Amino acid sequence: GIRVPQLVELIDVVPTIFDLCNIESDELFQGKSLTHFFFNPTVTQEKFAFSENMMYTEDKKSIQNDRYKLIYFTVSNKYEFYDLKEDPQEQRNIYSTENETAKQLREKLSEWMRKNREVSKKVLKNEGITPAIINQETKEALKSLGYIM
C-alpha cells in the first residue's frame, strides 16, 4: 500500500475505484479520486475532511485540514477549534470568532452542510436520480449476499 501524509476520506474510495476502471464519476459522488497519489505520493493539495456524529444529546459536525479541526454542536450552536499540531489530543479549545482560520473553516463547514441539505431534499423527492440498471446475474449475487430481497 501507499501511505500519504494528506487527508483522505472514505467517500474518496468509490471515485478512486471508478477512476481506476476508467469510469466517469465526477457527477456521481461527493468524493474525489485519489489515483494521483498512486503515481506521486508526495503531491500536496489542500484537503478538508468533513464528518458528522449524531449523538443522543447533540449532533456534531466537523471539518479539519492537516492542522486544524473545527467542531460545530448543532443543538447548542457552539464551536470548538483545535490546533492538531500543537494539541493532537484536542484538550485546549482555542475557538474565537476573531480567529481567521476558524472563520474560514466555519464558512466551509456551513457550505458543506448547505450542500448536504440540498442533496437530502433531492433524494427525498427522488429528483435527479437515475435508477441503476442491474442485470439478472448481479441481482442474484446481491440477493445471495442479503443486500436485496
Side-chain angles (χ1 to χ4, degrees), residues 16 90 92 106 118 120 128 137:
T16 302
E90 300 176 21
R92 292 181 306 280
R106 195 174 65 229
E118 288 175 9
S120 294
E137 181 182 350

Side-chain angles (χ1 to χ4, degrees), residues 53-110:
N53 182 355
M54 294 165 196
M55 300 171 56
Y56 297 110
T57 56
E58 182 154 29
D59 293 350
K60 296 189 295 186
K61 310 218 184 273
S62 72
I63 179 175
Q64 77 175 69
N65 61 18
D66 60 341
R67 176 144 187 192
Y68 297 101
K69 181 176 189 179
L70 178 76
I71 304 168
Y72 172 56
F73 296 85
T74 61
V75 174
S76 61
N77 197 32
K78 292 185 179 180
Y79 290 89
E80 291 181 3
F81 181 60
Y82 299 98
D83 181 336
L84 299 173
K85 183 177 179 187
E86 299 296 323
D87 180 19
Q89 301 299 312
E90 300 176 21
Q91 300 297 308
R92 292 181 306 280
N93 179 10
I94 57 172
Y95 182 74
S96 161
T97 55
E98 306 303 313
N99 184 301
E100 195 58 39
T101 303
K103 246 189 247 187
Q104 291 170 354
L105 290 178
R106 195 174 65 229
E107 289 170 9
K108 287 189 180 302
L109 182 61
S110 293

Side-chain angles (χ1 to χ4, degrees), residues 12-25:
D12 298 328
V13 173
V14 173
T16 302
I17 293 169
F18 272 50
D19 194 14
L20 291 170
C21 296
N22 293 318
I23 300 171
E24 185 66 38
S25 68

